[in-house]
Amino acid sequence: MGDHNARTRRRGEELIRAIHDAVLEEVVEVGVGRLTMDGIGRRAATPRTTLYRRWSDPIEVLLDALYHQHPVEEPTPGADDLRGDLIRALRLMAEWAFSPAGRAVAAILTDPKSAALMSEALFERVFADRGGTFTRTVLRHYADRGRFPAELLTPVVADIGEALVTKRLIDTGVPPTDEELAAIVDQAILPAIGLGPRAP
């Protein structure tokens, strides 16, 4: 009776959040290949018919959850703190990596079968739609405002910060410190766009 009442009380955003949370937990536990509407519904304490009213299959539920739980860096509007914005972007990435969504993405990309099924959709429908990688959002913001030559913002440069943070997470299993994030910005990202450390 209690479960039934809990189900009937949840509506709108509360229900969607419960389903999103459930699919992220489910994919970490069973992988993409074994993700089902039944499994998501059981974990969310929601009938699968409710899921089918909004999504056509479990992959769509997963992509929707990842999209809505993917953080987007918001650079300083005046584009006057590039170093600080880059450090904040990398900190946001590191925090996200330990969130349910970040753990789900790691589970997907580290499993060859899941990656084959999901990587293209993940990058096109989650990362790209949410502004791309964390530092890319910041760097594009500053390049568009003439703070450094836009042609220096190559795919390699856009990925430097994320790659180094990812390596740190793999090597240590713990989030980088602010000092370590500042070192990545000062020693790798800023020099790559022709600016010295602590550039405005």
Side-chain angles (χ1 to χ4, degrees), residues 24 65-75 88-103 105 126-135 137 162:
L24 295 178
L66 291 171
Y67 176 85
H68 283 95
Q69 296 197 22
H70 191 75
V72 177
E73 171 63 16
E74 296 182 4
R88 283 187 287 275
L90 292 179
R91 186 186 304 123
L92 188 65
M93 177 200 170
E95 292 170 351
W96 168 81
F98 287 89
S99 73
R103 289 194 296 271
V105 168
V126 178
F127 300 151
D129 280 354
R130 299 296 275 170
T133 58
F134 295 90
T135 54
T137 303
E162 281 76 7

Side-chain angles (χ1 to χ4, degrees), residues 16 19-20 23-24 27 32 35-37 40 51-68 108 117-118 121-122 125-126 129:
I16 296 300
I19 294 168
H20 283 171
V23 72
L24 295 178
V27 76
V32 171
L35 200 61
T36 66
M37 291 299 221
I40 297 166
L51 304 181
Y52 279 115
R53 292 192 192 107
R54 187 178 181 97
W55 302 281
S56 59
D57 59 57
I59 300 299
E60 291 298 314
V61 185
L62 177 59
L63 288 169
D64 194 43
L66 291 171
Y67 176 85
H68 283 95
I108 293 165
L117 286 170
M118 288 284 298
L122 190 60
R125 295 176 55 185
V126 178
D129 280 354

Side-chain angles (χ1 to χ4, degrees), residues 3 9 51 70 111 137 175 183 188-189 196:
D3 286 346
R9 280 197 299 268
L51 304 181
H70 191 75
D111 173 62
T137 303
I189 303 177

Side-chain angles (χ1 to χ4, degrees), residues 143-172:
D144 288 348
R145 287 155 182 77
R147 300 297 176 154
F148 66 88
E151 60 269 21
L152 295 179
L153 182 49
T154 66
V156 171
V157 170
D159 285 344
I160 289 173
E162 281 76 7
L164 290 171
V165 169
T166 298
K167 181 182 186 303
R168 170 72 182 173
L169 294 173
I170 292 171
D171 288 348
T172 68

